[in-house]
């Protein structure tokens, strides 16, 4: 019934509007008025006569639009004057809210599209030329690039190895990193020297080491730090005349009685491990400007490259695993060889082979993680592929002004809390590059240390 009433009211208004007569444009006004009243009264009479003789004039599009607008205004005014029930009011409120939501959604879509368009048009973020994987030396604290770590470790140990059996042992293990057989042969030879002196200290022949001896030249001399180790436990350089030629020959001579010290030094040598450099987090703070798009840092090629020592260590690890499997039983040895041959003979397309090669080549070893902090700040750190979420929390905590502050880290954009400190960064989906959100559990916990804030950069 309401629809019918509205329809009839609309028709009545249309009819009433049409009776008002044809519209007149302001630009087409009548001729200037004269002082004669008859002329003024004759003008509308002549216009009416002309209209009656020529029939009704067709309305323009602008006039039609104006008429519809007037009708809508009248309908809205009449509808507002009519009392409505509570259900109608609720329905009207819901319709208005729905209309507002649609408008907000359309505005949000326009904003997102504009942001994406600006992001595509914006040039890609260049890689910081000063950024590279680096390590911190545990001895001197110096930060060196990854490619220079082998030379730095040896040079740093050489400075402190003289007169120290412990440091010279560390130097030997470090210089033989990835060459375990060479290191073990040298250790075995030095162990024989020490055992002979301790077992028979009165025998002078055991206290002399001829530097031109074949065993010494092949197994001891090539290992950097071996001679320093012997000198640290009491050996000194000297010469003895050759019995046949009479020419002086170089020797190492032990003349002390520090037998217990020699045994302790031998134990340290046998348990010695290479010097391990600590991955430098390279903490960086960025101030995000209003028009910047927060995105993960591009990954340099150094994140995928493996050093010679790492390749050797990986090869040694795989070889040991294969030997352990094969030593279990001949049957397993046959199975391993059969699987290896089957894998090597598998036919693959060129695309599949290239995909396998690229996958092996681009296996990342490090990751860049950025932490979003309050105040439009980004904290960036470098992490190893095998590190855990706990290491990420420790890094953030070490950068805060108040290291006792409580906080949590959430994935971006899912906002899932990283609550397992034992979980690896790789399994958490944070490598090779990612962004996490800092969520403080106490007020003021996001204040970074002044030394970091003083070196912040604009992103």
């Amino acid at each position: 019934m309401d629809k019918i009433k509205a329809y009839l009211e609309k028709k009545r208004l249309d009819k009433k509007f049409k009776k008002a007569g044809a519209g007149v444009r302001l630009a087409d006004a009548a001729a200037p008025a004269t002082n004669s009243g008859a002329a003024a009264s004759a003008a509308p009479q002549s216009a009416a006569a002309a209209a009656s003789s020529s029939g009704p004039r067709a309305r323009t599009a602008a006039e039609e639009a104006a008429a519809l607008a007037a009708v809508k205004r009248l309908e809205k005014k009449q509808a507002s004057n009519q009392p409505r029930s509570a259900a109608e009011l609720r329905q009207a409120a819901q319709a208005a809210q729905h209309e507002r939501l649609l408008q907000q959604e359309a505005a949000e879509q326009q904003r997102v599209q504009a942001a994406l368009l600006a992001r595509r048009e914006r040039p890609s973020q260049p890689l910081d030329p000063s950024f590279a994987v680096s390590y911190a030396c545990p001895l001197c604290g110096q930060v060196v690039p990854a490619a220079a770590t082998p030379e730095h470790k040896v040079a740093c140990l050489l400075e402190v190895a003289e007169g120290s059996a412990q440091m010279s042992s560390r130097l030997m293990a470090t210089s033989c990193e990835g060459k375990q057989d060479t290191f073990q042969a040298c250790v075995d030879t030095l162990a024989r020297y020490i055992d002979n002196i301790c077992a028979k200290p009165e025998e002078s022949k055991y206290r002399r080491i001829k530097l031109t001896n074949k065993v010494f030249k092949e197994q001891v001399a090539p290992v950097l730090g071996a001679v320093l180790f012997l000198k640290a436990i009491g050996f000194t350089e000297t010469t003895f005349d050759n019995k046949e030629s009479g020419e002086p020959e170089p020797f190492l001579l032990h003349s002390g009685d520090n037998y217990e010290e020699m045994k302790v030094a031998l134990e340290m040598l046998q348990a010695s491990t290479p010097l391990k450099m600590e991955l430098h987090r390279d903490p960086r703070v960025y101030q995000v400007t209003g028009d910047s798009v927060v995105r993960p840092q591009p990954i340099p090629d150094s994140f995928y490259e493996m050093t010679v020592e790492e390749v050797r260590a990986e090869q040694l690890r795989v070889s040991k695993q294969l030997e352990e499997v094969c030593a279990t039983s001949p049957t397993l040895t046959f199975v391993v060889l059969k699987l290896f041959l089957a894998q090597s003979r598998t036919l693959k397309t060129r695309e599949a082979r290239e995909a396998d090669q690229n996958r092996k080549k681009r296996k990342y070893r490090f990751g860049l993680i950025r932490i979003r902090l309050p105040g439009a700040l980004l904290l960036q750190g470098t992490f190893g592929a095998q590190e855990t979420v706990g290491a990420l929390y420790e890094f953030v905590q070490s950068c805060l002004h108040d290291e006792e502050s409580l906080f949590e880290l959430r994935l971006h954009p899912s906002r899932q809390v990283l609550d397992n400190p034992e979980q690896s960064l790789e399994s958490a989906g944070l490598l090779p590059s990612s962004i996490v959100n800092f969520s403080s559990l106490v007020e003021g916990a996001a204040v970074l240390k002044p030394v970091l804030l003083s070196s912040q950069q604009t992103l």
Side-chain angles (χ1 to χ4, degrees):
M1 182 62 69
D2 294 337
K3 292 182 179 180
I4 295 177
K5 287 182 178 180
Y7 176 77
L8 295 177
E9 182 65 17
K10 182 178 179 180
K11 290 296 184 181
R12 186 183 66 80
L13 292 174
D14 289 342
K15 185 176 181 181
K16 184 178 179 181
F17 186 81
K18 291 179 181 179
K19 288 182 178 180
V24 180
R25 293 185 180 180
L26 296 177
D28 299 334
T34 60
N35 294 331
S36 172
S41 61
Q45 294 179 0
S46 61
S52 60
S53 61
S54 60
R57 180 179 64 86
R59 291 189 293 181
T60 63
E63 293 171 344
E64 290 287 347
L68 291 176
V71 171
K72 289 183 178 181
R73 286 196 298 271
L74 291 174
E75 290 177 349
K76 186 175 181 180
K77 184 176 180 180
Q78 292 178 356
S80 62
N81 293 331
Q82 294 179 357
R84 293 186 293 180
S85 62
E88 291 176 343
L89 291 174
R90 286 196 300 269
Q91 185 178 4
Q94 293 176 357
Q97 183 179 5
H98 182 66
E99 183 68 22
R100 287 195 301 270
L101 291 176
L102 289 178
Q103 293 177 357
Q104 292 177 0
E105 184 178 356
E108 181 66 17
Q109 290 180 355
Q110 292 179 357
R111 187 189 65 80
V112 171
Q113 292 295 335
L116 292 176
L117 181 61
R119 187 173 183 176
R120 287 193 297 266
E121 294 177 351
R122 182 183 180 188
S124 59
Q125 183 178 355
L127 181 64
D128 189 346
S130 64
F131 177 79
V133 178
S134 56
Y135 289 87
C137 179
L139 295 179
C140 64
Q142 184 178 350
V143 178
V144 295
T149 52
E151 295 81 3
H152 177 83
K153 289 191 294 185
V154 171
C156 193
L157 285 170
L158 279 173
E159 294 181 359
V160 297
E162 187 173 357
S164 172
Q166 182 182 5
M167 289 296 102
S168 56
S169 302
R170 206 74 180 276
L171 175 59
M172 292 171 59
T174 302
S175 62
C176 294
E177 189 172 7
K179 298 178 289 185
Q180 184 63 26
D181 295 340
T182 303
F183 176 70
Q184 191 60 46
C186 179
V187 172
D188 293 341
T189 304
L190 295 178
R192 284 197 301 270
Y193 292 158
I194 295 174
D195 291 340
N196 289 335
I197 294 175
C198 294
K200 299 179 179 180
E202 69 281 358
E203 293 286 344
S204 60
K205 65 178 181 179
Y206 292 138
R207 293 178 177 271
R208 295 181 182 183
I209 302 176
K210 189 176 182 180
L211 300 186
T212 57
N213 179 268
K214 180 180 179 181
V215 175
F216 182 86
K217 290 175 61 177
E218 291 180 354
Q219 297 183 1
V220 178
V223 177
L224 188 62
V227 175
L228 291 175
F229 174 81
L230 291 173
K231 290 182 178 180
I233 61 176
F235 282 86
T236 57
E237 291 185 3
T238 185
T239 58
F240 291 95
D241 294 337
N242 188 288
K243 295 181 179 179
E244 298 179 356
S245 63
E247 296 291 331
E249 293 181 332
F251 278 81
L252 285 174
L253 177 64
H254 187 273
S255 57
D257 57 355
N258 56 336
Y259 308 121
E260 291 299 326
E261 181 183 344
M262 295 173 67
K263 292 179 181 179
V264 172
L266 178 59
E267 292 177 358
M268 287 192 301
L269 175 61
Q270 292 172 339
S272 182
T273 56
L275 178 64
K276 295 296 182 182
M277 302 284 280
E278 300 174 357
L279 179 64
H280 182 48
R281 298 294 185 204
D282 192 15
R284 302 191 181 193
V285 179
Y286 296 95
Q287 179 70 48
V288 182
T289 58
D291 57 348
S292 298
V293 179
V294 179
R295 67 189 73 181
Q297 172 75 8
I299 299 302
D301 293 336
S302 58
F303 269 46
Y304 305 92
E305 297 172 352
M306 296 184 68
T307 62
V308 177
E309 289 77 10
E310 290 172 336
V311 173
R312 288 175 178 171
E314 181 68 15
Q315 183 180 7
L316 183 63
R317 184 186 65 82
V318 174
S319 300
K320 286 185 176 181
Q321 288 182 350
L322 185 60
E323 290 176 0
E324 292 175 358
V325 172
C326 294
T328 306
S329 69
T331 305
L332 287 179
T333 304
F334 175 75
V335 171
V336 170
L337 292 176
K338 187 175 181 181
L339 290 174
F340 174 77
L341 292 175
Q343 184 178 6
S344 61
R345 293 175 182 175
T346 302
L347 296 179
K348 297 181 180 180
T349 62
R350 183 179 63 182
E351 292 77 7
R353 291 195 300 270
E354 291 178 354
D356 291 342
Q357 292 175 359
N358 293 332
R359 184 163 53 252
K360 294 178 181 179
K361 180 180 178 181
R362 305 305 292 178
K363 184 178 180 180
Y364 47 81
R365 300 166 47 244
F366 304 97
L368 270 181
I369 300 179
R370 286 180 167 180
I371 300 93
R372 298 178 62 177
L373 299 169
L377 291 177
L378 278 180
L379 175 63
Q380 176 180 293
T382 307
F383 296 86
Q386 304 302 322
E387 294 192 73
T388 61
V389 172
L392 176 60
Y393 271 87
E394 293 175 3
F395 166 70
V396 176
Q397 191 173 32
S398 66
C399 295
L400 295 178
H401 182 67
D402 182 9
E403 296 188 7
E404 302 297 328
S405 300
L406 300 178
F407 64 92
E408 61 185 11
L409 300 177
R410 297 173 178 267
L411 293 174
H412 178 79
S414 65
R415 299 186 60 81
Q416 178 183 352
V417 179
L418 296 169
D419 54 359
N420 184 7
E422 302 299 328
Q423 185 181 16
S424 66
L425 298 177
E426 184 177 8
S427 62
L430 298 176
L431 299 182
S433 62
S434 59
I435 297 175
V436 298
N437 294 324
F438 178 96
S439 179
S440 175
L441 301 180
V442 293
E443 186 177 356
V447 179
L448 297 176
K449 292 182 176 179
V451 65
L452 292 174
L453 293 176
S454 62
S455 60
Q456 65 179 340
Q457 309 173 40
T458 302
L459 188 63

